[in-house]
Amino acid sequence: MTAIVGHSAALLGLLASTIGGVSLVVGLARGRTNLVRAAWSYVWFVVAAAVIGMGAMEFALVRHDFSLQYVAEHGSRHTPLLYTIAGAWSALEGSILLWVLVLSIYLAALTLRHRAQREDPVFGWALVVMLAVAAFFFFLLLGAADPFHTIKGVIPTDGPGPNPLLQNHPLMAIHPPFLYGGFVGFTVPFAFALASLITGRVDEGWVLAMRRWTLVAFGLLTVGIVLGAWWSYEVLGWGGFWAWDPVENTSFLPWLTATAYLHSVLVQERRGMLRVWNLSLVTATFALTILGTFLTRSGVLESVHSFSESGIGPLLLGFFGVIVVVVCGLLAWRGDALRSPGMIDSPVSREAAFLMNNLLFAAFAFVVLLGTVFPLIAEAINNSRLTIGRPYFDRMTGPIGLALLFLMAVAPALPWRKASKGVMRDRLLVPAWIGGITLLALVVFGVRSLAALVAFSLGAFAGAAALRQLVLAARAARRSGQPWWRGVVGRANGGMIVHLGVVVVAVGFAASMSFVQRDEVRLKPGESAKVGRHHVTYLGVDHVKYATRSAERASVRVDGGRVYRPALSKYPFATQAIGTPSVRSGVIDDVYLTLVTTPSDPKGTAVIGIIVTPLVNWLWTGGLIMGLGTAMALVPGRRRVPTAPASQPGPVPEPEPVAV
């Protein structure tokens, strides 16, 4: 019965998205407004289909309906409820179902948000594009990625449950929905970009709607990436958070291009420039989400995050190719209309700085993309395995990241068109002094790592510049009779909060990479060891039995205080033990404990891995600050009051937008 409901929902979604899209195309092409209005109602059938499909899958998982192959392979009667629910997106077919559900939510939001503009061709064609994307993913659910396929023959009484790594930390239930919220959310600005090219309305009229939807997706993807790094740190037992894993890279690539767009779109709004570039960035962002989906779900990559090999790969790769061809064709068709009326007046101006910012982001994305796909290309050509590891990414992206940190401080302080020495001095002198003092203090206190010195001083420079902007905005709000917090919401100052989050992440990243201390110690019960400034005492090991696993668990006291318990866990269907780290987290540093080997008898020697990582908590904090700043950038900012006397009316001063 569940399979019938699931297949019916997928079929309903495919029919509704196809019929709705075709109706919109006919109505828009022939000017039949009644057909256009009626076509928008098909969105709700798509939403209903996605909700029913996911509901059927969750029902099957919770009720342990092992007649479904997906439940038999990824469900278990002993899996805790939270991970049973999260099992709906723990494997390939369920992840496509989650994609469809998130896309339907965006479709509903788009319909409600722009219901007053249903007859506007731009919004109509944008909906056509989104329905076409929805139809493609519903098609996958009915074919290569069918989550409701039933077992022919003997139905098992139990299953293995999700991958052991996916059922030992609550972040696994939270991280994927945020990540998909960002990935799928980029469908909306992509749809608006294509709609503007189809209708020929390539001026700045469509930018506002597209920018806000991009901000939503950017914020969700930012939080999703940070939560994913946190999960990796807490679960995988290696003490790190970002390994330039190919699947990690596929989530980072659209984040880079989306960030570039959110900066360069300000130049288009203000000066009418970079039209082709912005359209290219938006479409590249969506295309990279499809490419990332192909890489993670086709089985071509070997990664702890990737899914098994399946027949979905050629379909996703073909869809990616269609996107590239359609976008390139539309850009060529509208080439004359896309010519920008303005040009950069001075290399020392905000638009010039944002252009440099975009070039750096593009270079960053190219380096990451090359390092991710080049081994696949080499294998396809030479039939030989090639590995590109962390040294390549660190060496190539480090200088680009530091340059972006510098521009993050300078660009928002520059005026449009041309900057004078006086303006530069007034806006950047204090932040520059703070950066210089930070550098001097670090040298005095013995820091000798060049990367850390540059990152910390540039972080102080950029952080001070962002704080200066926020303080001035809060003061201006107070002077105008509004609460101070009204001055720090809105696009400009929400962007400054995002910048502060980036600074916190950059400082945490530099500290954790430059000053990490690692050791493995052999201890008997009661013996102690010292790593860095911390003492750890091994108290012994015990055997613990859980509903889903058994574990050998060590007891380790840190600095004479709380006892932490790293473990080696064995799952019924796993071939080897899974390490479960235990972390003493602090503002200054973390003490990361792993149980490497267990003793043969209770009084024997255990091998304990100890990693002391400074400021690693700043990474999660900075990521959440970035998410908060993005949310505040979506809030309408305060309106500035005219400063001219009533007898001499003048224009209302326009707030200068600042990059997010």
Side-chain angles (χ1 to χ4, degrees):
M1 183 64 183
T2 306
I4 295 174
V5 173
H7 285 135
S8 300
L11 181 60
L12 172 64
L14 177 61
L15 292 175
S17 53
T18 302
I19 296 172
V22 171
S23 300
L24 270 173
V25 170
V26 174
L28 291 167
R30 298 184 178 180
R32 296 174 58 180
T33 56
N34 60 330
L35 191 58
V36 171
R37 288 185 176 183
W40 282 72
S41 62
Y42 284 95
V43 168
W44 303 111
F45 290 100
V46 174
V47 174
V51 171
I52 292 171
M54 181 58 79
M57 176 52 65
E58 293 291 4
F59 179 82
L61 285 166
V62 173
R63 293 292 300 272
H64 308 302
D65 183 0
F66 295 110
S67 65
L68 293 186
Q69 184 172 334
Y70 187 89
V71 179
E73 292 178 352
H74 308 290
S76 171
R77 297 184 184 276
H78 304 291
T79 302
L81 179 61
L82 176 65
Y83 303 112
T84 296
I85 294 172
W89 51 80
S90 66
L92 187 148
E93 295 84 358
S95 70
I96 300 299
L97 189 58
L98 177 62
W99 186 294
V100 167
L101 178 64
V102 175
L103 181 59
S104 73
I105 294 172
Y106 276 107
L107 273 167
L110 178 73
T111 302
L112 294 174
R113 176 70 177 80
H114 299 294
R115 59 185 179 275
Q117 293 113 341
R118 284 184 299 178
E119 298 178 16
D120 188 320
V122 169
F123 293 95
W125 282 107
L127 185 59
V128 169
V129 174
M130 292 193 66
L131 288 173
V133 175
F136 171 75
F137 280 95
F138 275 115
F139 173 74
L140 294 181
L141 290 178
L142 286 170
D146 179 10
F148 299 104
H149 180 74
T150 55
I151 292 178
K152 308 300 182 183
V154 180
I155 297 174
T157 58
D158 201 357
N163 185 312
L165 292 174
L166 304 183
Q167 52 176 314
N168 61 355
H169 201 285
L171 282 175
M172 185 50 218
I174 305 171
H175 149 63
F178 273 98
L179 202 64
Y180 276 66
F183 253 55
V184 181
F186 290 125
T187 309
V188 184
F190 168 74
F192 275 110
L194 287 195
S196 68
L197 289 169
I198 293 170
T199 60
R201 288 166 55 179
V202 294
D203 56 11
E204 283 57 67
W206 55 272
V207 168
L208 179 62
M210 194 167 71
R211 179 186 59 79
R212 294 183 68 85
W213 287 108
T214 307
L215 265 177
V216 172
F218 168 83
L220 292 173
L221 182 59
T222 299
V223 175
I225 290 174
V226 171
L227 291 178
W230 197 357
W231 171 84
S232 177
Y233 176 75
E234 293 277 350
V235 169
L236 297 185
W238 62 296
F241 47 85
W242 191 266
W244 295 108
D245 179 280
V247 181
E248 293 174 343
N249 295 347
T250 59
S251 66
F252 190 42
L253 282 167
W255 186 91
L256 288 170
T257 52
T259 307
Y261 167 75
L262 289 172
H263 287 82
S264 63
V265 72
L266 300 175
V267 180
Q268 182 175 353
E269 286 186 65
R270 185 64 179 253
R271 300 291 310 279
M273 300 164 56
L274 305 181
R275 290 176 178 174
V276 175
W277 178 251
N278 285 329
L279 286 168
S280 300
L281 283 176
V282 168
T283 54
T285 300
F286 177 72
L288 285 171
T289 66
I290 301 301
L291 179 63
T293 305
F294 160 73
L295 292 174
T296 55
R297 286 155 181 81
S298 62
V300 299
L301 292 178
E302 292 185 1
S303 164
V304 69
H305 305 81
S306 63
F307 296 95
S308 59
E309 187 173 353
S310 73
I312 200 175
L315 295 172
L316 286 168
L317 193 59
F319 188 50
F320 173 78
V322 169
I323 292 169
V324 173
V325 170
V326 169
V327 169
C328 290
L330 288 173
L331 287 173
W333 180 34
R334 297 296 186 186
D336 292 338
L338 289 169
R339 292 177 181 173
S340 299
M343 60 182 297
I344 295 177
D345 298 326
S346 170
V348 187
S349 61
R350 185 174 295 185
E351 52 266 48
F354 283 173
L355 178 60
M356 179 58 66
N357 163 287
N358 268 230
L359 293 176
L360 289 172
F361 271 115
F364 205 135
F366 176 77
V367 167
V368 176
L369 181 62
L370 180 64
T372 303
V373 303
F374 186 77
L376 302 178
I377 298 173
E379 183 178 358
I381 296 174
N382 300 326
N383 197 27
S384 60
R385 287 275 180 177
L386 176 66
T387 301
I388 295 181
R390 187 184 193 101
Y392 160 81
F393 290 103
D394 288 346
R395 190 179 304 115
M396 297 297 292
T397 62
I400 299 175
L402 293 175
L404 286 169
L405 202 58
F406 172 77
L407 280 177
M408 192 174 69
V410 173
L414 293 173
W416 296 101
R417 296 186 180 274
K418 187 176 182 180
S420 65
K421 292 182 180 179
V423 170
M424 294 286 289
R425 182 179 62 251
D426 292 343
R427 297 182 180 182
L428 292 176
L429 182 61
V430 173
W433 269 106
I434 292 175
I437 292 171
T438 300
L439 176 62
L440 180 62
L442 291 171
V443 172
V444 169
F445 282 102
V447 177
R448 294 295 180 265
S449 169
L450 179 60
L453 288 172
V454 175
F456 291 163
S457 56
L458 285 178
F461 179 35
L467 281 173
R468 174 188 174 276
Q469 173 78 13
L470 292 172
V471 169
L472 291 176
R475 287 178 178 175
R478 291 285 299 273
R479 286 197 298 268
S480 63
Q482 301 181 48
W484 66 268
W485 56 267
R486 286 294 301 168
V488 299
V489 298
R491 177 178 56 175
N493 295 308
M496 289 298 96
I497 295 174
V498 174
H499 281 190
L500 286 176
V502 173
V503 168
V504 174
V505 169
V507 171
F509 185 86
S512 60
M513 291 292 100
S514 300
F515 307 116
V516 62
Q517 297 173 294
R518 299 172 180 266
D519 199 2
E520 284 189 2
V521 295
R522 303 177 64 87
L523 300 174
K524 292 183 178 180
E527 293 183 340
S528 299
K530 182 179 181 181
V531 177
R533 63 188 186 91
H534 297 284
H535 288 83
V536 297
T537 303
Y538 171 58
L539 304 179
V541 67
D542 59 345
H543 183 81
V544 184
K545 185 73 174 178
Y546 299 96
T548 57
R549 70 187 193 277
S550 61
E552 297 289 336
R553 189 178 64 177
S555 297
V556 182
R557 190 181 302 277
V558 178
D559 294 333
R562 179 181 164 186
V563 175
Y564 294 83
R565 292 181 171 85
L568 287 174
S569 301
K570 292 184 179 180
Y571 290 80
F573 294 90
T575 57
Q576 56 184 329
I578 305 294
T580 304
S582 186
V583 186
R584 202 288 295 273
S585 297
V587 176
I588 298 176
D589 58 19
D590 279 15
V591 180
Y592 191 96
L593 303 169
T594 57
L595 179 59
V596 181
T597 60
T598 58
S600 56
D601 61 85
K603 296 183 179 181
T605 301
V607 179
I608 307 294
I610 306 171
I611 306 173
V612 178
T613 311
L615 305 187
V616 70
N617 268 334
W618 289 36
L619 294 163
W620 334 131
T621 303
L624 296 179
I625 292 173
M626 292 172 66
L628 174 64
T630 305
M632 296 181 72
L634 289 167
V635 178
R638 67 184 184 87
R639 296 182 178 273
R640 296 193 181 187
V641 297
T643 56
S647 58
Q648 299 179 1
V652 178
E654 180 183 348
E656 291 194 346
V658 180
V660 174

